[in-house]
């Protein structure tokens, strides 16, 4: 069961990452320039990515229409809750830079910043775990096995890219 949950978590994470990625699709020159020159995605673009990611996963998993609706609902709700947390984390990078470049080091402010970031990470982790459980409930054991097999394949494909 733990393995299944971990695999579904990885699958859900991949969908969420792809759906709310900072920049446009892929590595190519689609849209208005290369991916690294485009700005953040709009809420409509994010929703479109969630829909496409769920549709793609549903095809691969032979999901029923009812399962697709459940997965789409779960993904959209999770993204809606997680997106503001992502924005807070991005804003925190600026704040961290300010804390480190002040003329006088303020250890209390740094510790308060750390505690805030840990609370944000905890909240995001809890929300992600909730979505993970919901996704696991929506899939059959056979579908979860397909997710496992796909993740194993991806891991083996990426091994060649690692050094050492």
């Amino acid at each position: 069961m733990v393995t299944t949950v971990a695999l579904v978590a990885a699958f859900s994470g991949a969908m969420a990452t792809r759906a709310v990625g900072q920049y446009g699709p892929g590595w190519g020159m689609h849209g208005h320039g290369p991916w690294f020159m485009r700005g953040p995605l709009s809420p409509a673009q994010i929703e479109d990515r969630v829909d496409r990611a769920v549709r793609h996963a549903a095809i691969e998993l032979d999901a029923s229409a009812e399962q697709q609706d459940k997965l789409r609902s779960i993904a959209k709700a999770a993204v809606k809750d997680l997106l503001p947390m992502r924005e807070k984390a991005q804003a925190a990078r600026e704040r961290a830079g300010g804390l480190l470049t002040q003329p006088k080091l303020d250890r209390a402010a740094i510790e308060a910043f750390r505690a805030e970031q840990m609370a944000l990470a905890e909240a995001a982790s809890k929300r992600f775990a909730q979505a993970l459980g919901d996704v696991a409930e929506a899939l059959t054991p056979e579908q979860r096995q397909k997710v496992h097999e796909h993740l194993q394949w991806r891991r083996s494909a990426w091994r060649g890219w690692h050094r050492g």
Side-chain angles (χ1 to χ4, degrees):
M1 182 64 178
V2 172
T3 303
T4 301
V5 170
L7 293 172
V8 174
F11 176 72
S12 301
M15 282 193 338
T17 300
R18 191 171 195 160
V20 299
Q22 173 72 17
Y23 299 99
W27 295 89
M29 299 281 283
H30 307 290
H32 300 291
W35 64 271
F36 58 85
M37 293 179 70
R38 287 184 236 137
L41 297 176
S42 72
Q45 289 171 314
I46 291 169
E47 187 168 326
D48 178 59
R49 287 214 171 185
V50 170
D51 279 335
R52 285 189 291 144
V54 170
R55 276 194 312 251
H56 178 73
I59 290 168
E60 296 294 325
L61 295 172
D62 297 322
S64 69
E66 181 182 343
Q67 285 178 311
Q68 289 181 42
D69 291 341
K70 283 182 185 178
L71 293 173
R72 189 175 291 114
S73 174
I74 292 165
K76 285 183 180 181
V79 167
K80 181 182 175 189
D81 293 342
L82 290 168
L83 198 57
M85 294 180 200
R86 176 180 166 263
E87 292 166 356
K88 286 180 184 178
Q90 289 174 334
R93 289 187 196 120
E94 294 293 321
R95 191 165 155 225
L99 288 170
L100 293 174
T101 58
Q102 290 178 353
K104 183 174 177 175
L105 184 65
D106 185 351
R107 289 190 180 269
I110 292 171
E111 176 56 27
F113 175 76
R114 184 202 64 79
E116 288 171 18
Q117 294 309 298
M118 292 303 295
L120 181 62
E122 177 71 13
S125 175
K126 282 183 180 181
R127 182 59 183 98
F128 184 79
Q130 177 189 354
L132 171 63
D134 295 343
V135 166
E137 285 179 346
L139 299 176
T140 66
E142 293 80 17
Q143 290 168 325
R144 292 192 300 263
Q145 181 62 35
K146 283 184 181 181
V147 171
H148 170 70
E149 291 167 3
H150 178 73
L151 292 173
Q152 294 295 0
W153 175 81
R154 286 186 64 107
R155 280 190 203 118
S156 67
W158 277 101
R159 278 191 197 131
W161 290 86
H162 296 283
R163 294 184 182 185

